[in-house]
Amino acid sequence: MTMKIKADLVETLGIEASNAQPNECCGILFGENETITHIQPTQNVHPAPATHFEIEPAALIAAHKAEREGGPKIVGYYHSHPKGPPEPSRTDQASAAGDGKIWAIIGRGEIRFWLDQPDGFKPLSYSVTDP
Ligand SMILES: [Zn+2]
């Protein structure tokens, strides 16, 4: 499977990551089928935000409620690694739900996408589309 994401969203994710330095940024990815159509930045409420992330629970609950009411579909989440590569860390692997959601990780100026599978994260290829 190859995912699609618009060029302006790729740019926004990069900006979110650099604005959050030295902490991790995080947020929610919305889309349809294999296309990410928009993102929602949220606060990182983890007590150790330089090395961990926790999406603000109220924002996540609101997004789920909106989805149930016919709003945009939550396809995954994103966060950044201020000092590491854009690959799932041990912490990420430990906190993964294995629910088939997409995880976008931004690190070292690069964004990579991963599929949270029951047997671990699988790399996802993606293509950038015009806005
Ligand atoms: Zn991580």
Side-chain angles (χ1 to χ4, degrees), residues 3-6 30-38 75 129:
M3 263 185 30
K4 294 193 187 74
I5 183 165
K6 288 181 186 172
F30 297 92
E32 283 169 42
N33 303 318
E34 276 113 52
T35 303
I36 294 173
T37 52
H38 65 286
V75 294
T129 62

Side-chain angles (χ1 to χ4, degrees), residues 22-25 44-54 79-80 82 91:
N23 294 335
E24 299 191 5
C25 70
N44 179 357
V45 298
H46 197 283
T51 49
H52 298 75
F53 79 99
E54 184 184 344
H79 72 285
S80 61
T91 308

Side-chain angles (χ1 to χ4, degrees), residues 39-113:
I39 67 165
Q40 181 189 341
T42 72
Q43 269 195 305
N44 179 357
V45 298
H46 197 283
T51 49
H52 298 75
F53 79 99
E54 184 184 344
I55 291 172
E56 187 188 11
L60 198 54
I61 290 164
H64 279 289
K65 184 167 184 284
E67 181 181 16
R68 280 196 305 274
E69 290 167 357
K73 192 172 180 303
I74 299 167
V75 294
Y77 317 100
Y78 71 84
H79 72 285
S80 61
H81 288 166
K83 293 194 171 121
E87 294 163 3
S89 64
R90 277 173 185 276
T91 308
D92 294 334
Q93 286 166 15
S95 62
D99 57 2
K101 287 278 200 273
I102 293 166
W103 282 44
I105 304 179
I106 306 120
R108 295 184 179 153
E110 194 189 340
I111 301 172
R112 283 204 222 154
F113 295 85

